[in-house]
Amino acid sequence: MTTAAGIRRQVQRDSDRLAFDVRRVREDFPILKQRIYGRPLVFLDSAASAQKPRAVIRAVQRCYEREYANIHRGVYFLSERATELFEGARAKVQRFLNAREAREIIFVRGATEAINLVAQTYGRKFLNRADEVVISTLEHHSNIVPWQMLRDEKGLTLRIIPIDDSGALLMDEYEKLLGARTKLVAVTHCSNALGTITPVKEIIRLAHEKGIPVLVDGCQAVPHMPVDVRDLDCDFYVFSGHKLYGPSGIGVLYGKAALLEAMPPYQGGGDMISTVTFEKTEYNVIPHKFEAGTPNIAGAIGLGAAIDYVAALGFDEIVDHEQELLEYATEALSETNSLRLFGTVEDKVCILSFIIDGVHPHDLGTILDHEGIAIRAGHHCAQPLMDRFGVTATARASFGLYNTREDVDALVAGVRKAVEFFG
Ligand code: 7TS
């Protein structure tokens, strides 16, 4: 029977679920309770790697304590159990990206390996001299160097989409780059150094009009927004588990099944074969064809737990919370004298890159560290992007779902202290 107290409890539960309670979320992350040099930890380097909720830590621990054996080959209980959990994690990634089939999800070490895999298999087989690969000024080195290696091997050409001073891709210039020679577009979904969200759907549509496949580097997107690979219609999508609150050493390559099937294997070894004789080897079906050797079993299971964790919080709440923080932090930092902010587009994730006149980013990083504040200082593995802005390094504060307005206040106070110290 429905009682008034019952309804009140239900309403309370609903509002608990709706309100993103960052304080409660922080309770899920044991590392955030630490003090650094006697100060509360203010962790603002989630773009490099995010911290892990207890649910992920427990899933990995449970795997090693109770569910661990090698997969895909055992005839005994534990191996079957571990295989089930590993393949269950693949199904979670499939749902997370809204991929059509689980076999379109390849487990790799991370985004870097995923891009190298595509360059070394798809690229080696289908790209030739005189072909062109289009990338952008915003790319992380992981989405530059594998294509340069292929360029040097094959004699192909890299074409670069330029950006404007706000950090937005120049889409007119992009359209002009797409020609008869273009054989692949590889572009980031979000810039790790500026936060810019790129118009990937439009990028893909324009490339597909000319029959050109597109790889999207989703490393900085998946922690901050829902991604639907079928809606985007991308041909490849890559990300790393460790930026999505999951373990390191595990990542994902999504590829359309027909493309993956047409591609040769990446590495040879166990699990990627169906039969081997000394004369001839038949390869396994996808995804196994690309997963040679014993994979990061506990890592995949941990990534599955991270996906469950993020899904339970819900992207509506995560986006609202992080966008509110972005607005608050942008305003607060902009009030600091002699601070120059890079990446000023409207559409961005919560990453703030800046320099302060007279204070080297590394010195700023050191001063903030002594306040218990962790930021990244350097070129962020995006040296061509730094060159575009005529700097060698910036300070970067990047936010995750566990950050608070108090973290922003601490950052701003630390930055002001540094300005005074050097001023
Ligand atoms: N692509 C983007 C957009 C990234 O931000 C990174 C890592 C990578 C690829 C490579 O990911 P990995 O997991 O294979 O190393 N970005 C950063 C960063 O911004 N600071 O440290 C690593």
Side-chain angles (χ1 to χ4, degrees):
M1 201 171 77
T2 311
T3 62
I7 292 170
R8 269 200 303 279
R9 270 200 304 277
Q10 181 61 45
V11 168
Q12 184 56 42
R13 266 204 302 276
D14 286 349
S15 69
D16 282 352
R17 194 161 45 75
L18 288 174
F20 184 85
D21 184 348
V22 68
R23 249 145 274 289
R24 207 168 57 191
V25 166
R26 289 175 69 82
E27 291 296 312
D28 296 337
F29 292 80
I31 206 167
L32 298 179
K33 291 206 175 73
Q34 270 191 86
R35 296 180 84 82
I36 306 286
Y37 309 123
R39 308 255 184 166
L41 168 64
V42 175
F43 188 75
L44 296 176
D45 197 22
S46 295
S49 201
Q51 299 300 350
K52 319 303 172 201
R54 204 173 273 110
V56 168
I57 299 166
R58 281 200 183 133
V60 172
Q61 187 177 357
R62 194 173 52 236
C63 168
Y64 284 127
E65 283 183 353
R66 309 182 49 176
E67 297 156 348
Y68 187 77
N70 211 333
I71 55 168
H72 294 151
R73 46 195 101 181
V75 290
Y76 54 90
F77 178 85
L78 267 187
S79 176
E80 279 170 11
R81 179 84 187 114
T83 304
E84 234 169 65
L85 289 164
F86 183 82
E87 292 303 329
R90 197 190 306 278
K92 286 179 187 181
V93 176
Q94 176 205 345
R95 285 193 295 276
F96 181 67
L97 293 179
N98 195 30
R100 198 177 300 277
E101 301 175 73
R103 68 192 180 114
E104 295 178 314
I105 305 299
I106 315 289
F107 280 125
V108 287
R109 267 194 306 130
T112 301
E113 186 173 44
I115 297 169
N116 277 278
L117 189 160
V118 176
Q120 290 301 313
T121 61
Y122 184 87
R124 266 191 165 167
K125 180 159 179 187
F126 295 109
L127 303 191
N128 291 301
R129 201 180 166 71
D131 288 346
E132 294 179 357
V133 173
V134 171
I135 60 175
S136 88
T137 310
L138 294 173
E139 303 312 314
H140 184 279
H141 295 165
S142 299
N143 201 26
I144 301 174
V145 184
W147 306 114
Q148 287 177 327
M149 290 162 68
L150 190 69
R151 174 197 66 190
D152 296 344
E153 188 185 321
K154 292 275 191 168
L156 45 85
T157 304
L158 282 188
R159 308 294 299 271
I160 316 297
I161 313 168
I163 57 169
D164 65 18
D165 289 342
S166 72
L169 291 181
L170 293 173
M171 290 297 283
D172 291 350
E173 298 300 319
Y174 167 62
E175 272 198 78
K176 284 187 218 153
L177 289 178
L178 297 176
R181 292 180 165 194
T182 317
K183 289 291 149 59
L184 186 76
V185 173
V187 73
T188 192
H189 198 164
C190 293
S191 157
N192 69 313
L194 304 182
T196 309
I197 302 172
T198 62
V200 270
K201 197 165 175 182
E202 181 64 1
I203 289 171
I204 293 161
R205 192 185 66 74
L206 289 166
H208 282 182
E209 270 180 6
K210 301 206 152 111
I212 305 160
V214 180
L215 176 146
V216 178
D217 175 356
C219 257
Q220 300 293 346
V222 289
H224 305 296
M225 65 184 77
V227 170
D228 182 332
V229 291
R230 269 192 278 177
D231 178 54
L232 292 177
D233 198 27
C234 52
D235 300 278
F236 300 105
Y237 196 95
V238 310
F239 72 89
S240 295
H242 66 95
K243 295 182 202 281
L244 182 63
Y245 311 101
S248 55
I250 187 77
V252 168
L253 165 66
Y254 157 81
K256 285 182 180 165
L259 280 173
L260 293 174
E261 279 174 338
M263 285 154 54
Y266 179 45
Q267 295 174 327
D271 237 23
M272 53 78 72
I273 55 87
S274 60
T275 60
V276 178
T277 64
F278 282 120
E279 288 70 40
K280 187 171 165 45
T281 290
E282 300 282 345
Y283 301 130
N284 207 337
V285 293
I286 60 166
H288 311 296
K289 183 172 79 174
F290 295 106
E291 294 180 352
T294 301
N296 184 351
I297 300 165
I301 293 168
L303 174 58
I307 286 173
D308 286 344
Y309 180 80
V310 169
L313 289 179
F315 269 115
D316 286 350
E317 280 74 14
I318 294 170
V319 170
D320 280 355
H321 173 68
E322 292 183 355
Q323 287 295 315
E324 200 265 334
L325 272 182
L326 174 63
E327 214 170 288
Y328 183 69
T330 307
E331 208 172 302
L333 276 179
S334 305
E335 282 164 11
T336 306
N337 284 339
S338 58
L339 184 141
R340 178 178 167 202
L341 198 61
F342 297 87
T344 49
V345 292
E346 188 84 345
D347 222 5
K348 60 181 280 191
V349 293
C350 202
I351 290 177
L352 290 125
S353 231
F354 54 94
I355 54 172
I356 301 165
D357 284 349
V359 187
H360 192 280
H362 282 115
D363 292 334
L364 177 65
T366 305
I367 288 179
L368 292 177
D369 177 46
H370 284 93
E371 304 288 320
I373 304 166
I375 61 151
R376 172 116 190 242
H379 53 59
H380 316 296
C381 300
Q383 281 184 325
L385 179 60
M386 298 290 115
D387 288 345
R388 163 63 179 76
F389 285 106
V391 296
T392 52
T394 69
R396 181 189 69 180
S398 57
F399 293 71
L401 49 80
Y402 36 61
N403 288 115
T404 61
R405 280 178 170 233
E406 287 73 31
D407 291 340
V408 176
D409 295 341
L411 172 70
V412 171
V415 166
R416 296 210 169 129
K417 203 165 177 176
V419 171
E420 274 164 34
F421 185 81
F422 285 96

